[in-house]
Amino acid sequence: MGHNIFALPPGIMEAEQFDELAAGKDVRIERIVSQGHTSPEEDWYDQPQHEWVTVLQGRAVLAFASGEEVALGPGDHLTIPAHCRHRVKWTDPQQATVWLAVHYSA
């Protein structure tokens, strides 16, 4: 049965939506939908796996504990190494931001 990665949840989203699309022994693929959502300033993602992430629709800014910030728009992607502390600083409140994330082991 097929699904559409751009199908959005109805109504206003209280929190970001995380949907696991596929997973295996050392890999997990997920769709994330944000709309004005951010990570709390005091909370950092510190993941045990590498993460390759791309924005398919919308806009976002990722902040890193190093002080670096990366703005992402449609088609932009980056790899976040395992244990690289980061958070979502901003997502567009006017439209849904659809991310595709691949978490994998080296």
Side-chain angles (χ1 to χ4, degrees):
M1 173 186 258
H3 300 278
N4 188 307
I5 202 156
F6 295 108
L8 300 175
I12 297 172
M13 297 185 330
E14 300 269 332
E16 281 185 302
Q17 180 175 327
F18 294 82
D19 299 312
E20 186 174 281
L21 303 178
K25 181 178 177 229
D26 293 319
V27 67
R28 179 171 44 91
I29 302 168
E30 67 182 354
R31 178 188 82 155
I32 306 164
V33 180
S34 312
Q35 188 165 357
H37 299 99
T38 62
S39 304
E41 286 192 34
E42 64 280 357
D43 289 344
W44 296 93
Y45 290 107
D46 185 352
Q47 302 164 159
Q49 291 184 304
H50 304 297
E51 179 181 4
W52 177 86
V53 64
T54 186
V55 170
L56 302 175
Q57 168 183 304
R59 296 180 300 142
V61 175
L62 294 178
F64 293 85
S66 66
E68 180 182 8
E69 292 185 1
V70 177
L72 300 167
D76 293 334
H77 62 90
L78 70 129
T79 299
I80 304 167
H83 299 292
C84 178
R85 294 176 59 209
H86 65 285
R87 65 183 196 82
V88 178
K89 181 174 182 176
W90 178 86
T91 60
D92 193 336
Q94 302 302 315
Q95 65 175 322
T97 297
V98 178
W99 313 70
L100 183 64
V102 179
H103 302 267
Y104 62 96
S105 299

